[in-house]
Amino acid sequence: MRQFLVVGHDAPTTADVSLDDLPGTGRLDLLARAVVAALLRSHGVRSDARVHVVLADEYTLVVDGATVRHLRPDERSTAARVRDALDARDEAVGAMPAEPSPGVELYRGGLEPALSRAAADASEVFVLDEDGDPAVDVAPPENPLFVLSDHQDLASSDREAAAEYEPRALSLGPVALHADQAITVAHNWLDTDGFARY
């Protein structure tokens, strides 16, 4: 299982989401692209992937590639899935999530409980960092969890929360990437492990 945990610092926490202004709605455009990059491939869904999107440290959206249905590659329809999940937020009680559609869950709570849930299924936790160990020098693990941020850097409190899981700082290359691009490169790093030729 490959997992990606994306921290959305300014993400919306209510269903008052404008699908006509996704960048102005807490950079929901970027978060929607991250979900798509984590779960979709050409003509299919990555059934071995799961993405956790922390929404302003209040809620966490979890989308599971093994069970999600009708996920499309465009930002608008994916943002609508986020909006629908937030519309069901009253159904999330304690540790029990709201389940607005197959493969989509919305939990109350931000980064710390999201890390706890995701790390339980991970063999190794990576924090994506430009100054981390180069991915080309690291053997890809079987069940990685990648922690990354939206258009802002991870805050010191985010790093402190992740530190409990003894993450390894990992660099995907010398050029800074958007979150969705970083997810795509991470997938490629895992997909090509042991691949002899292109």
Side-chain angles (χ1 to χ4, degrees):
M1 171 68 67
R2 303 167 181 194
Q3 296 185 88
F4 299 89
L5 191 155
V6 184
V7 179
H9 293 100
D10 299 323
T13 57
T14 70
D16 185 21
V17 169
S18 171
L19 297 180
D20 294 322
D21 183 19
L22 297 180
T25 308
R27 289 310 310 265
L28 194 49
D29 60 322
L30 186 151
L31 299 175
R33 287 196 304 269
V35 170
V36 168
L39 298 178
L40 295 185
R41 57 180 178 76
S42 181
H43 303 293
V45 177
R46 290 183 178 268
S47 60
D48 63 342
R50 183 181 300 143
V51 61
H52 310 253
V53 182
V54 177
L55 304 170
D57 210 31
E58 289 186 38
Y59 296 96
T60 301
L61 177 78
V62 180
V63 188
D64 192 324
T67 54
V68 71
R69 298 292 175 262
H70 311 297
L71 184 65
R72 294 182 176 85
D74 63 291
E75 291 175 20
R76 187 181 175 93
S77 68
T78 303
R81 301 290 284 273
V82 177
R83 179 196 60 196
D84 293 346
L86 286 168
D87 194 42
R89 69 188 181 282
D90 290 343
E91 298 171 24
V93 179
M96 298 300 296
E99 298 180 17
S101 61
V104 179
E105 298 175 325
L106 185 77
Y107 290 85
R108 289 188 179 275
L111 181 58
E112 290 186 17
L115 278 166
S116 178
R117 280 190 303 273
D121 294 326
S123 59
E124 189 167 358
V125 178
F126 295 96
V127 171
L128 296 185
D129 189 321
E130 295 171 49
D131 298 322
D133 297 329
V136 294
D137 296 334
V138 177
E142 286 294 316
N143 297 297
L145 167 61
F146 299 94
V147 179
L148 63 157
S149 189
D150 54 10
H151 60 294
Q152 301 178 32
D153 290 337
L154 287 170
S156 58
S157 59
D158 300 333
R159 290 182 182 277
E160 287 170 15
E164 180 179 338
Y165 303 93
E166 300 179 356
R168 183 171 187 172
L170 185 74
S171 173
L172 298 175
V175 177
L177 302 170
H178 289 275
D180 59 309
Q181 295 170 332
I183 290 170
T184 300
V185 172
H187 270 311
N188 183 257
W189 177 56
L190 299 170
D191 290 343
T192 57
D193 183 33
F195 197 54
R197 65 183 182 85
Y198 286 83

